[in-house]
Amino acid sequence: MVELKQINGLGEKGIALLNKMGINSVEELLTYYPFRYEQIKRSDLKTINIKDKIIIDGIVETNPSIFHFKKRLDKMSFKLNTGDNLYQITIFNRAFLKPKITPGTKLTIIGKLEKRTSITAYNLRFGLIEQEEITPIYHSIYGVSEKQISKWINKALDLNIILNNKLPYYIEQQYHFLPKTDCINIVHKPNDINLLKRVVKQLKYEELFLFMLKMNYLKLNKSNKIGLKRNIDYKKIEEFINNLPFELTIDQKKCVDVIYDDLTNPKRMNRLLQGDVGSGKTIISFIAMYMNYLANYQSALMAPTEILANQHYNNLKKILVPYGLNVALLTGKTKTKEKKEILKKLADGTLDIVVGTHALFTDDVLYKNLGLVITDEQHRFGVNQRSSLKNKGITPDILYMSATPIPRTYALTLYGDMDVSSIHTMPSGRKQVITTLKSEKEIKEVLTEMYRELKLNHQIYVIAPLIEESDKMDLKNVFELETNMNKAFGKLYKIGVLHGKMTNQEKDEVMTKFKNNDIQILISTTVIEVGVDVENATMMVIFDSFRFGLSALHQLRGRVGRNELQSYCILISNYETERLKVLTKTNDGFKISEEDFLLRGSGDLFGSRQSGDMVFKIANLKSDYSLLLKAKEDSELFLKNHHEDERSKYLINYVEKYSELD
Ligand code: ADP
Ligand code: MG
């Protein structure tokens, strides 16, 4: 890895910004690819139609006139002479360029042909078109401008470092792939559109091949396993379901039946249960564990956070303990003495169910007869955890639950051998959460809305991306918000704080107070994100929303609207508002994950945004779907025909990190 400071003219400030974007080395900067290209080539006026994209150049004829409207919008108009025509040009939010645009100025206009001689420009450049040009366009994030990124990348290219393709050699040969260094140069400084297309395809292929290789490798190690065949009296299940305080939705019933089939059938269950936040997945997992118990096997339920593990534990006590099951909670915070006791009971079979966090998968945990493993909020476990479930000769059935729905076609490709069940119907009586987007300037309105809910005796979650102030990132933090919220509401209402650095006990205390309405405003990091249930909370306020993926925000929003009360979600952000708008328009988790797919590849599906492992840099699962299928086929062939040593060259960083249950 070459350090960023090698780049000429890149100072500490620039490095800090790049780090914020997840770029920590020159290699990573060079693989920060343009998301699109602008091809500058004079349009052929003979073939162009109204509403088409148009590129022309010419000389300004009139001084621009400017029109201001709304708060921050302006519109500039002037006439441009191209030699053939006199065009009326209109462009928004470029009023600041007015001093540079006077009669005689040479301009290139990129825009849309509205009428025969009128164009709405979305970009303009000074100067005429000398020769055909292809300009890379980079995503500008965290206030780093596109130009800035482009400048740094060009400086990085000047270092002339050598990069290698990460593909098996025979594949490079087979497809006549170019050396990686050439690809990188071309992708950032293209001058031939056909060559560029070829290079982009190659880079996408490489990314998809490595991804599918990993996926297929995992499947290979997992498939063809014989599972447990159980005899379970269905009447007992029916009885259990009839005794629940609510009636299961149609989709929930379907899931229960499918799981019943899985568990009574000798083929090993490997099922993903996906359903929107609040669709009622937990109860299905409880029923599955009850079935497993009736066949005399132990179950393990794993949750991504302590809070959620606690909540599951409390619900299990209410719902399953009355049926005679022995249940325990095991987390990283469980005291040594208590843990010893639990381990003993798991090994001798006294315990029927253990619920917990990763602690369930440390090496010292031995089960007598573990028959079922359930992972809640599967998407949170994407990377960095390796598990070793020690079990005496039994291959447990596996149920994953996820509230980040994966569009079906992708799920089939990515999970392949995994069966997928989806819950689409919500429990009855739920209202849609009303979601609005605000800038930080509109904080007064946010406070007014919060006050309205508080007066109704409802409670509020407030989310910040950070716990405390950070000199690296200028983002809202929990403590700052606590101070501000206390100023606004402290006289009338109680405010609590929850974050990942607190001990289990501290978190529990705060959560309990919130549940009992001793706290009205709970300020938290995303530790609150998954699963937690407080019915009287009707508002979710999320600061610096742009820091989160759409699916993660949708999850957070799922903390409210869990009953018949009207609930609200306020997203506060000064950046990436286009992306965030999706959430104001839909409450459908499937649609939102599709958008996430479109916008950022599959990053969110497999783990946190920071993890990096799974985020595609150039490929897009949706638009490059056929390339993905090709990569899938090739990677399967590679695995089939190559020895483990050869395979591991390409898998090495991955297998160590990836968590799977066997
Ligand atoms: P998620 O799918 O997000 O994990 P939960 O399982 O936590 O959702 O369910 C959300 C809430 O809905 C819980 O309070 C649960 O008890 C309740 N619930 C689940 N199924 C039903 C149902 N069929 N009818 C009414 N309420 C239900
Ligand atoms: Mg849940």
Side-chain angles (χ1 to χ4, degrees):
M1 288 282 172
V2 181
E3 287 183 48
L4 284 170
K5 62 177 182 219
Q6 302 291 329
I7 295 174
N8 215 337
L10 178 64
E12 261 174 48
K13 231 173 147 186
I15 292 179
L17 281 170
L18 286 172
N19 291 344
K20 212 155 117 180
M21 290 162 63
I23 297 170
N24 298 299
S25 66
V26 173
E27 287 84 348
E28 281 172 355
L29 179 60
L30 289 175
T31 50
Y32 187 83
Y33 300 117
F35 78 102
R36 67 179 181 86
Y37 293 87
E38 191 97 88
Q39 201 181 357
I40 307 291
K41 182 184 174 188
R42 226 169 263 136
S43 301
D44 181 358
L45 299 177
K46 287 189 208 93
T47 57
I48 203 161
N49 293 313
I50 303 292
K51 300 292 173 206
D52 277 356
K53 180 177 168 175
I54 183 168
I55 299 177
I56 50 155
D57 55 351
I59 293 167
V60 175
E61 282 256 333
T62 58
N63 271 313
S65 59
I66 306 256
F67 177 63
H68 289 276
F69 55 104
K70 279 194 184 160
K71 259 188 205 159
R72 271 160 289 189
L73 283 178
D74 60 69
K75 184 172 117 176
M76 174 162 68
S77 305
F78 55 88
K79 286 201 159 50
L80 187 83
N81 191 338
T82 63
D84 305 318
N85 271 316
L86 196 58
Y87 285 95
Q88 174 74 23
I89 310 291
T90 306
I91 186 162
F92 291 92
N93 294 332
R94 296 293 203 298
F96 62 92
L97 289 177
K98 184 176 182 210
K100 292 171 94 178
I101 300 176
T102 50
T105 308
K106 291 172 183 158
L107 283 184
T108 300
I109 299 291
I110 302 142
K112 190 168 95 179
L113 185 66
E114 297 290 356
K115 283 186 240 149
R116 221 173 48 80
T117 55
S118 121
I119 293 173
T120 306
Y122 52 78
N123 208 349
L124 60 76
R125 298 162 37 130
F126 290 92
L128 302 177
I129 302 169
E130 301 295 345
Q131 61 182 32
E132 209 177 296
E133 251 184 76
I134 310 164
T135 318
I137 312 283
Y138 300 90
H139 271 301
S140 82
I141 48 175
Y142 303 135
V144 187
S145 75
E146 200 194 283
K147 269 211 184 108
Q148 194 67 66
I149 294 171
S150 163
K151 199 179 105 196
W152 289 333
I153 288 176
N154 276 315
K155 288 265 167 65
L157 287 171
D158 291 343
L159 293 175
N160 287 319
I161 61 170
I162 305 285
L163 295 167
N164 293 311
N165 286 320
K166 292 181 185 154
L167 295 163
Y169 185 64
Y170 79 89
I171 287 191
E172 282 185 53
Q173 296 293 303
Q174 186 183 330
Y175 292 117
H176 307 288
F177 279 162
L178 297 167
K180 183 67 159 270
T181 311
D182 293 355
C183 293
I184 295 296
N185 274 295
I186 291 165
V187 88
H188 294 297
K189 285 180 161 177
N191 45 36
D192 178 295
I193 191 78
N194 290 320
L195 190 58
L196 174 65
K197 278 184 185 159
R198 183 174 152 197
V199 161
V200 166
K201 199 166 173 188
Q202 175 181 335
L203 293 172
K204 285 177 170 179
Y205 176 89
E206 181 182 36
E207 208 169 30
L208 292 167
F209 178 87
L210 293 173
F211 175 74
M212 284 320 299
L213 185 68
K214 291 158 188 172
M215 279 297 169
N216 286 325
Y217 181 75
L218 291 172
K219 270 181 220 159
L220 201 72
N221 284 350
K222 211 164 54 178
S223 55
N224 303 324
K225 293 220 171 108
I226 302 296
L228 306 167
K229 183 180 182 326
R230 302 170 181 77
N231 284 316
I232 304 166
D233 185 356
Y234 193 74
K235 281 218 188 72
K236 288 207 170 145
I237 308 301
E238 272 182 330
E239 221 175 271
F240 180 86
I241 291 173
N242 289 335
N243 280 336
L244 289 173
F246 45 73
E247 190 178 348
L248 294 185
T249 63
I250 294 174
D251 285 354
Q252 281 175 319
K253 281 182 193 155
K254 277 189 202 153
C255 289
V256 167
D257 286 346
V258 161
I259 291 170
Y260 179 82
D261 284 344
D262 283 346
L263 294 183
T264 50
N265 185 311
K267 187 177 171 284
R268 187 182 189 192
M269 174 164 81
N270 189 23
R271 181 171 295 280
L272 174 71
L273 174 60
Q274 54 174 6
D276 222 332
V277 246
S279 61
K281 295 182 291 293
T282 315
I283 192 65
I284 295 175
S285 72
F286 285 14
I287 296 169
M289 290 192 285
Y290 183 56
M291 291 177 187
N292 188 47
Y293 159 81
L294 290 176
N296 289 316
Y297 289 107
Q298 293 170 302
S299 304
L301 170 58
M302 179 162 79
T305 61
E306 306 255 339
I307 294 179
L308 193 55
N310 268 295
Q311 182 176 289
H312 283 327
Y313 178 61
N314 290 328
N315 282 330
L316 281 168
K317 280 200 283 198
K318 269 187 240 149
I319 296 175
L320 283 176
V321 171
Y323 287 82
L325 282 75
N326 290 314
V327 177
L329 174 70
L330 181 62
T331 72
K333 305 273 167 65
T334 307
K335 299 231 165 59
T336 318
K337 198 178 140 211
E338 198 186 336
K339 179 170 178 181
K340 246 176 139 177
E341 189 67 17
I342 292 172
L343 293 187
K344 193 175 138 262
K345 287 181 176 171
L346 281 174
D348 72 16
T350 320
L351 277 174
D352 301 304
I353 294 178
V354 63
V355 51
T357 51
H358 311 121
L360 295 185
F361 300 102
T362 51
D363 281 342
D364 50 348
V365 188
L366 276 162
Y367 295 82
K368 177 158 186 252
N369 57 356
L370 183 67
L372 176 63
V373 176
I374 302 178
T375 325
D376 194 12
E377 308 294 349
Q378 161 69 15
H379 61 286
R380 298 272 304 212
F381 286 99
V383 279
N384 297 333
Q385 291 119 26
R386 189 180 189 142
S387 50
S388 59
L389 264 175
K390 294 276 163 56
N391 199 358
K392 293 188 181 144
I394 298 170
T395 324
D397 286 300
I398 295 177
L399 181 67
Y400 304 98
M401 300 196 286
S402 174
T404 305
I406 303 167
R408 200 169 169 79
T409 35
Y410 311 127
L412 288 177
T413 314
L414 303 181
Y415 290 103
D417 65 325
M418 197 182 279
D419 296 309
V420 181
S421 298
S422 308
I423 311 182
H424 290 280
T425 45
M426 281 290 194
S428 56
R430 299 272 170 84
K431 282 210 176 86
Q432 298 255 305
V433 178
I434 296 175
T435 304
T436 48
L437 185 57
K438 302 266 182 208
S439 69
E440 284 192 30
K441 278 195 190 138
E442 297 168 294
I443 190 72
K444 269 205 179 128
E445 291 165 40
V446 176
L447 293 174
T448 311
E449 287 194 38
M450 288 176 69
Y451 189 45
R452 184 198 64 216
E453 283 305 299
L454 291 166
K455 276 193 292 191
L456 291 169
N457 206 15
H458 295 160
Q459 291 159 274
I460 300 176
Y461 293 101
V462 176
I463 305 290
L466 300 179
I467 299 175
E468 54 209 333
E469 207 176 325
S470 148
D471 34 321
K472 279 211 192 116
M473 292 180 268
D474 180 25
L475 296 170
K476 283 280 175 299
N477 67 75
V478 168
F479 294 128
E480 177 190 353
L481 284 178
E482 186 187 18
T483 312
N484 292 341
M485 289 295 158
N486 261 316
K487 270 187 209 150
F489 301 114
K491 279 201 183 115
L492 297 166
Y493 300 99
K494 283 263 161 4
I495 291 154
V497 160
L498 189 78
H499 58 76
K501 285 193 185 156
M502 289 162 62
T503 66
N504 203 16
Q505 199 188 345
E506 288 168 334
K507 279 191 225 163
D508 253 10
E509 274 166 24
V510 175
M511 245 1 258
T512 312
K513 277 190 189 162
F514 193 58
K515 275 194 176 179
N516 297 337
N517 202 357
D518 296 332
I519 289 172
Q520 286 73 45
I521 301 175
L522 182 63
I523 304 170
S524 161
T525 53
T526 49
V527 290
I528 204 76
E529 181 181 335
V530 285
V532 184
D533 232 357
V534 177
E535 293 212 345
N536 189 49
T538 55
M539 184 173 276
M540 169 65 65
V541 181
I542 306 171
F543 282 85
D544 288 326
S545 303
F546 73 96
R547 283 289 292 176
F548 307 102
L550 295 181
S551 295
L553 290 167
H554 179 63
Q555 295 267 321
L556 284 168
R557 172 168 69 176
R559 297 307 104 226
V560 299
R562 296 176 84 80
N563 53 24
E564 63 294 336
L565 296 173
Q566 180 59 59
S567 290
Y568 304 86
C569 174
I570 305 179
L571 305 171
I572 305 176
S573 178
N574 286 347
Y575 306 103
E576 300 184 32
T577 47
E578 268 314 303
R579 178 171 73 85
L580 297 172
K581 246 183 224 156
V582 172
L583 289 163
T584 63
K585 290 180 194 142
T586 180
N587 268 290
D588 180 339
F590 280 87
K591 272 203 195 125
I592 289 164
S593 83
E594 280 262 9
E595 285 292 332
D596 252 356
F597 252 80
L598 274 173
L599 291 167
R600 16 194 290 164
S602 61
D604 259 20
L605 296 180
F606 296 99
S608 60
R609 190 173 185 173
Q610 296 89 313
S611 72
D613 286 54
M614 287 296 193
V615 185
F616 292 109
K617 287 180 166 171
I618 190 163
N620 178 310
L621 287 186
K622 203 176 173 108
S623 51
D624 301 322
Y625 193 63
S626 56
L627 202 58
L628 175 79
L629 293 180
K630 186 92 201 106
K632 177 173 184 264
E633 199 184 304
D634 290 349
S635 65
E636 280 162 358
L637 216 62
F638 171 76
L639 285 175
K640 210 173 113 201
N641 296 333
H642 289 79
H643 187 263
E644 190 64 38
D645 290 349
E646 180 71 16
R647 294 170 173 182
S648 59
K649 264 208 295 212
Y650 304 99
L651 291 162
I652 202 138
N653 293 321
Y654 181 75
V655 174
E656 274 165 22
K657 278 193 200 161
Y658 199 80
S659 86
E660 273 301 299
L661 295 170
D662 48 11

